[in-house]
Amino acid sequence: MKLTNLRTLFFLTILIMSTTISKAANNAQISYNVSFPEAQAHYADIEMHITGLQQNTLELKMPVWTPGSYLIREFAKNIESFSAEANGKAIASPKINKNTWQIVTKGVSAVTVKYRVYAFELSVRTSFVDASHAFLSTTGIFVYPANMLHSPAIIHIAPYKNWDKVSTSLEMVNNDPFTRHSPNFDILFDSPIEVGNQDVFSFDASGVHYEICMYGGGNYDKEKLKADLHKIVEQEVAVFGENPNKHYVFIVHNRQRNGGGLEHLSSTVLGASRDSYANDKGYQGFLSLVAHEHFHLWNVKRLRPIVLGPFDYDNENYTTNLWIAEGFTEYYQGIIVRRTQLFPVENYFEAIESEFNTLENLPGREVQTVAESSFDAWIKAYRPNENSNNTTISYYNKGAIIGMMLDLEIINNSKGKYKLDDAMKYMYNQYYKTLKRGYTDAEFKAAFEKFAGKKLDDFYAKYINGLTPVDYNKYLGYAGYKIVDELAGKNDAALGVATTTTAGKKVIVTAVQRGTAAYIDGINVNDELTAIDGTPVTDAAAIISGKKPGDKITVTVTRDGQAIDLPVTLLKNTRVKYNIVSVDNPTEQQLAVRKKWLSL
């Protein structure tokens, strides 16, 4: 048989197999029952029903990661007691790889699968169950049939004891809050579920109904929260010109100390400290978190890098554009809160100054580009070690700074006609709404150039794909501002270590900064600092206070049970602390840019 005919036969076979699988997927009906008979022991019990099967083999898979959190988390590790039955009889369901179970379904049209999930990892991206509530991060709860990601599913929740509420963006079935419908698995995996006795209140903004679901109590003021979140929503809708949701859910976990958030298609999960709402700093921090995660409903959930959808739930999904997806969202969290006029300009400057100082005090800024930081998120960002500050940066942090730089570049070059909002809205309309796909790096670059009115090859070479130090004064100068270093002129000495003090009062080195005295002269992470020039160490920074660069000291450490004396020559403390101040006599053009940028 000729090669051409072999190829033809091969592709015909693949086509027939694909058609058969597609037909089977279209006919299958999927439902889940979720119960919590041992909530106090942190278990969710799942019963999955699949009917209308027409294939000989069924593979069930558990995602290995959750979109928005770029780390392989191996959710299948939490599954136990996996079993299957058909026609009332047990059938084999062997596990064939780390996250896949295989069931022979020849001659079988319906299967029931049962398994348990241990849920005791407290974060916005992982499931947690106890006697007070259940938070279901759905990628770690529901297995799905391979090749059936487009299939709808019904989810029924059987609450534990006196639980009386379900909070999720999934639509109710027959007005039953405990029965929800998902049009497909991408939506199911993007719709976390809170079950318990959470405090639920609501407001309407831009024609969308918003629910706020508070677990854990707290000193929040409901009416103030509703009013202020309304302002944030309206400001963000104004950027893109529409809100694509019918309703949206904020799930907030209030604990003694908590933080972080994870975006979803029509909801978000937020971590907050329950007693932080009554002070200005804590409350502004919470509103910034709200602004960040809510902005994601456009930026990354719909307007997103081309590789981030449709998702591959089995493997890493690599992109060099998280500096846009996350970094720009971090930039907008501050500027959006500024636009609400809830806080003065000085508060916004404190936030952006913090971004500057974080980047400039990281040795990793001279090692890793922001594009590399995005691409390597899977192996570096979520797995930091004692040397990470020396070798990496955050695409959140530098991306936020780049967002500010491009915003000011666009405002200045267009003489106030455009700002970064216009590029974001254009990309949303062009790629999400019109082309119905994600964007490439080159396509977003072209949009920036469209509204800046200039080529940005040099900008990309320096700041996206290169390691050129940020020229803060150039971009702030467009708005008549500049940076000053509060620590300039000081001649303090620094050892260059971070330490922690144990319960036994031992001072242990946790990090050594590249280029410092400790780095050059051989102090190691995990060394116990016992003495400096014979003086017992209780606070290393206090002991070297008053010493100057060039001074020689002897640092005594205990390493692997042995005492070692290390001669160390102190070096100048290179830390910076930038503040934003106005230039003298700003021009009319600078004042116009300033007004456009800061909504004055």
Side-chain angles (χ1 to χ4, degrees):
M1 191 177 289
K2 291 184 179 179
L3 181 59
T4 302
N5 290 334
L6 282 171
R7 285 176 174 168
T8 302
L9 180 60
F10 172 78
F11 286 117
L12 281 172
T13 302
I14 292 298
L15 179 61
I16 291 168
M17 289 175 62
S18 298
T19 303
T20 302
I21 290 170
S22 176
K23 182 179 179 182
N26 290 336
N27 290 334
Q29 295 182 347
I30 303 168
S31 64
Y32 300 88
N33 290 318
V34 184
S35 60
F36 311 92
E38 292 187 306
Q40 83 289 347
H42 320 298
Y43 280 99
D45 284 38
I46 318 298
E47 188 172 300
M48 179 186 191
H49 301 279
I50 311 175
T51 62
L53 292 171
Q54 297 179 21
Q55 67 259 50
N56 292 333
T57 302
L58 175 68
E59 290 188 355
L60 298 177
K61 305 177 76 67
M62 173 69 83
V64 302
W65 70 292
T66 191
S69 182
Y70 305 99
L71 177 68
I72 299 298
R73 295 184 182 275
E74 311 294 18
F75 293 120
K77 68 187 178 183
N78 295 317
I79 287 184
E80 61 181 77
S81 303
F82 193 99
S83 65
E85 64 180 48
N87 301 319
K89 296 181 179 180
I91 55 176
S93 55
K95 195 174 187 181
I96 60 171
N97 62 35
K98 66 179 182 178
N99 68 318
T100 308
W101 293 259
Q102 188 179 76
I103 304 171
V104 175
T105 53
K106 184 175 181 180
V108 172
S109 63
V111 170
T112 296
V113 173
K114 298 178 182 180
Y115 59 94
R116 313 189 81 199
V117 178
Y118 181 71
F120 196 56
E121 187 174 351
L122 195 61
S123 80
V124 296
R125 64 193 70 86
T126 51
S127 297
F128 183 90
V129 176
D130 67 10
S132 67
H133 80 130
F135 171 64
L136 307 179
S137 182
T138 46
T139 46
I141 294 292
F142 298 108
V143 296
Y144 68 95
N147 303 309
M148 295 190 194
L149 282 171
H150 296 296
S151 298
I154 299 293
I155 300 93
H156 178 72
I157 307 292
Y160 176 73
K161 291 188 177 180
N162 63 340
W163 294 353
D164 60 6
K165 295 185 183 74
V166 173
S167 298
T168 179
S169 58
L170 295 172
E171 297 295 335
M172 287 187 283
V173 177
N174 297 325
N175 293 316
D176 178 3
F178 292 95
T179 304
R180 303 290 178 141
H181 173 263
S182 179
N184 58 57
F185 280 92
D186 284 323
I187 290 176
L188 177 58
F189 292 151
D190 223 353
S191 304
I193 302 170
E194 176 74 17
V195 190
N197 299 304
Q198 59 270 23
D199 184 16
V200 180
F201 48 102
S202 62
F203 66 94
D204 293 326
S206 299
V208 178
H209 185 66
Y210 281 82
E211 290 181 45
I212 306 171
C213 310
M214 292 285 199
Y215 164 80
N219 59 358
Y220 52 87
D221 180 325
K222 293 183 187 181
E223 296 307 314
K224 182 173 177 58
L225 268 179
K226 289 192 287 186
D228 292 346
L229 265 61
H230 183 280
K231 293 176 182 178
I232 288 170
V233 169
E234 295 286 358
Q235 288 294 335
E236 294 189 342
V237 170
V239 175
F240 295 94
E242 69 171 20
N243 190 325
N245 291 297
K246 292 182 179 179
H247 78 275
Y248 188 95
V249 181
F250 293 101
I251 298 173
V252 186
H253 293 155
N254 294 300
R255 300 189 183 276
Q256 184 175 9
R257 291 183 181 178
N258 204 11
L262 188 65
E263 70 275 5
H264 295 282
L265 193 66
S266 302
S267 61
T268 186
V269 186
L270 309 174
S273 299
R274 65 171 59 97
D275 295 325
S276 65
Y277 296 94
N279 66 79
D280 284 346
K281 184 175 181 181
Y283 187 61
Q284 185 175 355
F286 178 74
L287 293 184
S288 295
L289 179 61
V290 167
H292 181 109
E293 301 303 341
H294 186 261
F295 194 82
H296 270 313
L297 78 85
W298 296 276
N299 190 33
V300 90
K301 298 316 304 181
R302 290 167 176 86
L303 171 61
R304 63 191 186 188
I306 198 164
V307 300
L308 294 184
F311 293 115
D312 177 352
Y313 294 104
D314 282 339
N315 301 288
E316 296 87 346
N317 293 228
Y318 293 101
T319 174
T320 57
N321 290 126
L322 293 180
W323 59 274
I324 298 174
E326 287 290 356
F328 277 26
T329 303
E330 182 148 329
Y331 170 65
Y332 269 100
Q333 75 179 42
I335 209 70
I336 288 293
V337 173
R338 167 63 212 139
R339 290 176 188 175
T340 66
Q341 308 293 326
L342 289 169
F343 302 95
V345 170
E346 291 74 22
N347 289 40
Y348 172 65
F349 279 173
E350 286 181 10
I352 202 71
E353 288 162 358
S354 177
E355 301 284 9
F356 296 171
N357 294 325
T358 296
L359 179 65
E360 294 306 314
N361 289 310
L362 279 177
R365 76 189 185 282
E366 298 178 349
V367 177
Q368 187 183 54
T369 71
V370 74
E372 291 169 342
S373 176
S374 299
F375 193 85
D376 279 344
W378 296 93
I379 59 172
K380 294 185 178 182
Y382 287 89
R383 290 185 175 127
N385 62 24
E386 67 283 347
N387 199 42
S388 291
N389 285 350
N390 290 330
T391 60
T392 66
I393 60 168
S394 166
Y395 49 80
Y396 285 86
N397 167 238
K398 191 169 183 180
I401 294 170
I402 291 169
M404 180 206 74
M405 295 160 69
L406 285 170
D407 201 3
L408 288 166
E409 185 77 51
I410 291 169
I411 295 170
N412 183 70
N413 283 12
S414 69
K415 293 185 167 40
K417 183 178 180 180
Y418 301 119
K419 55 185 176 181
L420 185 60
D421 291 17
D422 296 286
M424 300 298 288
K425 183 178 181 180
Y426 168 81
M427 290 295 292
Y428 173 79
N429 287 331
Q430 180 69 10
Y431 291 95
Y432 170 67
K433 295 186 68 179
T434 302
L435 297 178
K436 302 185 187 305
R437 66 168 174 85
Y439 59 81
T440 67
D441 185 73
E443 287 165 344
F444 224 128
K445 177 175 176 288
F448 296 142
E449 293 173 338
K450 173 183 175 70
F451 291 97
K454 62 184 287 189
K455 285 288 186 182
L456 294 172
D457 294 355
D458 185 58
F459 184 95
Y460 265 67
K462 287 180 176 179
Y463 300 124
I464 310 303
N465 302 310
L467 298 169
T468 303
V470 175
D471 189 347
Y472 296 100
N473 285 331
K474 173 184 175 180
Y475 294 94
L476 289 171
Y478 292 149
Y481 292 108
K482 64 181 180 179
I483 56 169
V484 294
D485 182 4
E486 189 179 303
L487 302 179
K490 292 185 177 291
N491 196 36
D492 297 335
L495 188 57
V497 298
T499 62
T500 187
T501 302
T502 70
K505 305 298 183 184
K506 294 180 178 181
V507 179
I508 306 298
V509 176
T510 57
V512 179
Q513 184 168 323
R514 187 190 300 272
T516 62
Y519 185 93
I520 292 169
D521 291 324
I523 297 175
N524 291 181
V525 168
N526 296 328
D527 283 350
E528 178 192 352
L529 300 183
T530 56
I532 295 179
D533 288 339
T535 301
V537 171
T538 55
D539 183 340
I543 292 176
I544 66 168
S545 178
K547 294 186 180 293
K548 298 300 180 187
D551 286 352
K552 298 182 183 299
I553 61 174
T554 298
V555 178
T556 303
V557 305
T558 298
R559 182 183 300 168
D560 191 29
Q562 295 182 322
I564 303 173
D565 289 335
L566 297 171
V568 175
T569 302
L570 294 173
L571 300 178
K572 179 177 168 52
N573 190 339
T574 59
R575 287 189 64 80
V576 299
K577 187 176 182 182
Y578 289 141
N579 296 318
I580 300 172
V581 300
S582 179
V583 300
D584 295 332
N585 304 313
T587 66
E588 287 188 13
Q589 169 72 4
Q590 288 174 318
L591 291 174
V593 171
R594 183 182 296 187
K595 183 177 180 180
K596 181 87 170 181
W597 177 39
L598 298 173
S599 302
L600 297 174

